[in-house]
Amino acid sequence: MLTTLNRMTGMPVVLSDVQIGYVERAVADLRHGRLQGVIIRRGIGMARWCDQSAIALVGRECVLLRQRPGRLPDLKPQQPVQVFLSSGQWAGTVSDVVLRGDNLALQALEVSTGPLQTLLGRRVYARAYRSVGHGRQVVVPRLLSWTQLEKEDAQ
């Protein structure tokens, strides 16, 4: 099942059949092509960190954990990642990340040319990418629609 980091926000987090909080933010590691982890919060309490090794599954309705979340690490603020085609043409910025819920591997980057285009549903996806410029830029060979991405994922 494919999901996105933005869809994960607000999902209940469950450990041993007990809801322990909600996903406040999911963090991707573009260099390694995996989910880095999630920030979990319950009410107005302290935020907790759960790295990818402690996440068993990201389902349609909740995130299942293998172990209790730990202390929140010092996360650097996420800066926009610029996307360029292999021809050198600017394609937009990464607006979201698509991942598989079962193995937490990144499947594609969602690319948009701006917030208005994102709201209008005008986004494309890059399955393959190469990180350059200390992770602030990626180069992609081609862009796909959501339908093309799902079709490739089913194969």
Side-chain angles (χ1 to χ4, degrees):
M1 180 194 88
L2 296 179
T3 191
T4 68
L5 298 185
N6 287 339
R7 284 188 203 141
M8 288 176 64
T9 302
M11 275 188 171
V13 179
V14 177
L15 174 69
S16 301
D17 296 331
V18 176
Q19 182 180 334
I20 62 169
Y22 295 91
V23 174
E24 184 173 286
R25 181 169 65 123
V27 181
D29 180 357
L30 296 183
R31 287 188 178 199
H32 296 101
R34 294 189 57 82
L35 178 68
Q36 185 176 348
V38 293
I39 298 172
I40 301 166
R41 189 178 299 268
R42 181 178 185 122
I44 59 171
M46 272 184 58
R48 307 296 284 172
W49 173 254
C50 193
D51 89 350
Q52 58 91 14
S53 64
I55 300 171
L57 176 75
V58 177
R60 289 190 194 280
E61 304 295 327
C62 68
V63 176
L64 298 177
L65 300 184
R66 290 186 179 98
Q67 61 191 42
R68 295 197 70 72
R71 293 179 52 128
L72 190 63
D74 185 27
L75 296 172
K76 295 177 183 168
Q78 292 180 323
Q79 296 187 3
V81 177
Q82 301 294 315
V83 180
F84 294 90
L85 295 172
S86 53
S87 65
Q89 179 183 2
W90 181 76
T93 58
V94 175
S95 55
D96 204 354
V97 176
V98 180
L99 61 99
R100 287 188 58 90
D102 55 355
N103 65 8
L104 309 179
L106 301 187
Q107 294 298 297
L109 303 177
E110 182 183 277
V111 180
S112 175
T113 56
L116 181 59
Q117 280 68 27
T118 300
L119 285 173
L120 293 173
R122 295 183 185 144
R123 26 188 194 262
V124 290
Y125 300 87
R127 180 175 290 283
Y129 65 92
R130 182 173 41 95
S131 183
V132 295
H134 302 292
R136 289 188 225 133
Q137 299 174 348
V138 293
V139 177
V140 301
R142 67 185 183 126
L143 298 170
L144 307 167
S145 69
W146 180 260
T147 306
Q148 292 169 319
L149 183 66
E150 281 187 317
K151 186 182 286 187
E152 281 189 12
D153 189 59
Q155 293 175 351

